Amino acid sequence: MSEYTRDPQTDRATDALPEAGRGAVAALIRVAELYDPSVAHRAALRAIVASRLSEKLAATPTERLLTIAASALADADLAVSRPDVPEAARAPERSVLCATLVERVPGLDRVSAVLRSQDERWDGSGAPDGLGGSEIPLASRIVTAVEELVGNPAAGLLPSWGPSLARLEARSGSELDPDIVHALAALDLESIDAPLTPSAAVLDLLEQALP
């Protein structure tokens, strides 16, 4: 049993992401709302999809909370990255940078651990630790797939879900967990609305995930 997965009978979600940590996630998204609304918008969309997906996968309360928070903060490295550097050029160092930045925020150490593994790949070809298959924490596998699915829509816009799912299916079994891709394809993504206030949407999702 990994540090990310707990026995459902003893799972203490509030220990994994205490109130201070949940508030910190919302505060970070609020900062993004002020300085780059598109970043905040994508963070909330990822959190929405991650919440639905983790519920469908019967994740524990701890896994759900960590998945929602980590999905919202999956591109935290943008805070210190040059805006002209494409996403492909940010890997593999970006996951370590994300984890390092988030780890310094009180209450987010477990979220940091999830973010460290977001660039691992199902076939073991990823970074930074070369994990593969179920060695990769469930929360990290979800974050990887959700980030790819949502992509980079501008503030107020929604992804084109069909083409996005097709990209995931092409990478299923190699880069992405096939069970997660299958579960994503079964979600009613068309029912997702653009969040009006991303930080409030993320905080609501975190509170709703509490046992």
Side-chain angles (χ1 to χ4, degrees):
M1 185 175 295
S2 78
E3 66 176 293
Y4 310 93
T5 305
R6 304 297 187 197
D7 185 325
Q9 299 302 317
T10 59
D11 187 14
R12 289 182 57 85
T14 51
D15 290 343
L17 191 62
E19 184 177 359
R22 300 192 298 275
V25 173
L28 291 169
I29 304 304
R30 176 57 178 158
V31 171
E33 287 173 2
L34 298 174
Y35 291 96
D36 193 334
S38 291
V39 169
H41 173 69
R42 293 193 292 269
L45 284 177
R46 291 194 302 267
I48 292 168
V49 176
S51 176
R52 296 188 181 191
L53 178 59
S54 58
E55 183 175 13
K56 187 172 187 62
L57 292 170
T60 68
T62 291
E63 287 170 330
R64 283 197 69 197
L65 275 171
L66 293 177
T67 298
I68 293 167
S71 294
L73 301 178
D75 56 6
D77 65 303
L78 288 175
V80 294
S81 297
R82 288 171 47 197
D84 59 330
V85 175
E87 182 175 349
R90 289 159 51 204
E93 295 84 0
R94 71 143 197 162
S95 60
V96 176
L97 180 55
C98 276
T100 301
L101 291 170
V102 171
E103 185 179 29
R104 298 182 180 183
V105 180
L108 296 185
D109 53 315
R110 294 278 297 276
V111 177
S112 169
V114 172
L115 290 171
R116 178 180 173 85
S117 296
Q118 67 174 316
D119 285 329
E120 302 289 358
R121 296 294 177 257
W122 184 251
D123 60 7
S125 65
D129 302 308
L131 303 179
S134 59
E135 293 178 324
I136 307 169
L138 174 62
S140 302
R141 282 179 268 151
I142 292 174
V143 171
T144 301
V146 168
E147 188 175 18
E148 175 64 25
L149 176 73
V150 170
N152 297 296
L157 299 181
L158 293 171
S160 297
W161 298 116
S164 294
L165 282 170
R167 289 198 304 271
L168 265 65
E169 289 167 353
R171 297 164 60 186
S172 177
S174 54
E175 297 181 26
L176 302 174
D177 180 340
D179 289 338
I180 288 176
V181 173
H182 179 75
L184 275 171
L187 293 179
D188 182 13
L189 297 172
E190 297 295 340
S191 68
I192 294 176
D193 295 321
L196 296 178
T197 308
S199 57
V202 171
L203 184 57
D204 284 346
L205 289 169
L206 291 171
E207 298 297 327
Q208 292 166 15
L210 290 172

